[in-house]
Amino acid sequence: MLSRRGFLAGTLAAGVPSRPHAETGGAAPAVLRIERRGIEVNGKSASVLGIRQPGGAFGITTEVGKRFRVRVENHIEEPSLIHWHGLTPPWQQDGVPGISGPAIPPGGSADYDFPLRVGGTYWMHSHYGFQEQLLLSAPLIIRDADESSSDQDIIIELSDFSFTPPEMIYADLKARQASNMEMPGMTMQDMNMQEMGMQDMAMPAKSSAPDLNDVQYDAFLANSRTLDDPEVVKVETGARVRLRIINASSMSAYHIDLGQLEGDLIAVDGSPVQPVHGRSFPITVAQRLDIALTIPKTAAAYPVVAVLEGERRQTGIVLQAGKGQVTRILDMAAAASPPLNLDLERSLKAVAPLADRKADRTHAIDLTGAMQGYQWSINNVAWNKDVPPLSAAEGERIELVLTNQTMMPHPMHLHGHTFQVVAINGDRFAGALRDTVLVPPKTSVTVAFDANNPGWWAFHCHLLYHQHAGMFATLRYV
Ligand SMILES: [Cu+2]
């Protein structure tokens, strides 16, 4: 049974390839074109994908209270479909091929139309194949009236880039793991224990280091540029600015380093949090950070960089205040940044938390991996269309207890809902509202949400190659 809300919206729009049909009235839709584009990476040209308006703007900036009335046109040579990451549309407009609806064929288009009730920093990306690795992503900013305290919005979209085609990256990952029979940082003994379901036994000290960055990228980009030739954003001295940082990387997490600046983290994943002051903030794949800061009175160039977790490699942009002189920034930080942890997560408090309520339904979800052959799964099941969805009923408060049984971190994303982080390793607290949460190795994170958007929804690891390998499930209630 489809809900009336979902069904009506679905028949109107719904990621269905559009044919000539009567307009439904109101403003003409904004057009977004999926297209090929060229960029320069470390002095070499690269052909990537992008999603732009006919005027050239990447993605969309709009306002709370408006409708998301968009036509996506596919101008590339293969099918595609765009997911509105963090938004809560009717499920048929969520942009996951095979679940929300069919992909848009080459030359085709699809229409979307739903209300935007909440502001924030969101993003859009292809959910088709490996297109996200080819930079088929863009900002999706919904401005809110109460954001007028800043003079200037500055978007920083982070990406990881490889000259190697993603299909080959994936094949290499599969082959490498199969031939080594071992993940770096994991002993054969651990693997046997995993296979035997004995993960909770004492681990040899050797295996305590997390396994990070299993794809070796050629470059890390901020707004499609490297630090060789970074974007330079002019700002006024003394201005209040709002950084909207989007981690659109396929596999890479970072620590944002504000350098000489300090700022207040005011929102995560689009949802306001009680401000946290600092100069370094972690961001895993698919998350967003909104940071408010005041540019000093001194004319100078202020780099804002993202340092890859566990390494020195970095990317970023430069804020040029007044006539400040811009100098070359190295693409290596002075020191390696540590692996991401949940210290910040533990301290975050949503400005508008969920109502306090006991869960009506709790799903225990193990994030699992058989290390041989780069197999990733949920509850030891690699996704296929016959896997039953997680159950839910409209109106319930649901909790997901996400337990990472592996040695890699997994950024877990639920479509169509905003959840609250309510426990880490069983310690309850009322944390941030999010749509993507980091679950570090051998750690459990509990999230709660209200089942208020019926449909069939994806739930998956946002590391592209983990998702592709099967760390993917669905939630369904209609
Ligand atoms: Cu993962």
Side-chain angles (χ1 to χ4, degrees), residues 376 409-411 461-463 466 471:
W376 299 101
H410 303 290
C461 177
H462 221 286
L463 299 184
H466 291 193
M471 194 175 267

Side-chain angles (χ1 to χ4, degrees), residues 190-330:
D190 295 341
M191 294 194 314
N192 293 339
M193 286 165 70
Q194 288 231 339
E195 279 158 18
M196 292 157 64
M198 296 164 70
Q199 300 89 339
D200 294 329
M201 289 182 59
M203 285 287 188
K206 189 181 170 188
S207 70
S208 62
D211 183 20
L212 306 173
N213 304 322
D214 53 0
V215 177
Q216 290 303 306
Y217 283 100
D218 292 316
F220 297 92
L221 312 179
N223 298 340
S224 298
R225 295 161 79 153
T226 62
L227 282 172
D228 265 9
D229 174 32
E231 182 176 23
V232 176
V233 179
K234 290 196 183 305
V235 295
E236 299 289 329
T237 55
R240 292 282 299 165
V241 304
R242 182 187 185 109
L243 305 179
R244 295 179 179 273
I245 303 170
I246 300 165
N247 188 356
S249 300
S250 291
M251 293 292 282
S252 307
Y254 310 87
H255 286 90
I256 302 300
D257 181 352
L258 301 179
Q260 299 172 57
L261 303 174
E262 288 184 11
D264 288 314
L265 177 65
I266 54 173
V268 296
D269 295 0
S271 295
V273 291
Q274 308 287 352
V276 176
H277 194 76
R279 71 174 44 170
S280 173
F281 299 96
I283 184 167
T284 191
V285 171
Q287 289 183 332
R288 286 85 65 210
L289 300 174
D290 284 33
I291 299 171
L293 55 85
T294 302
I295 303 297
K297 294 277 196 300
T298 320
Y302 299 100
V304 172
V305 299
V307 187
L308 183 66
E309 74 168 323
E311 298 198 25
R312 290 176 55 206
R313 303 180 70 190
Q314 63 182 8
T315 186
I317 66 163
V318 178
L319 306 181
Q320 184 184 30
K323 294 201 160 56
Q325 195 177 349
V326 178
T327 53
R328 174 79 184 270
I329 303 149
L330 299 175

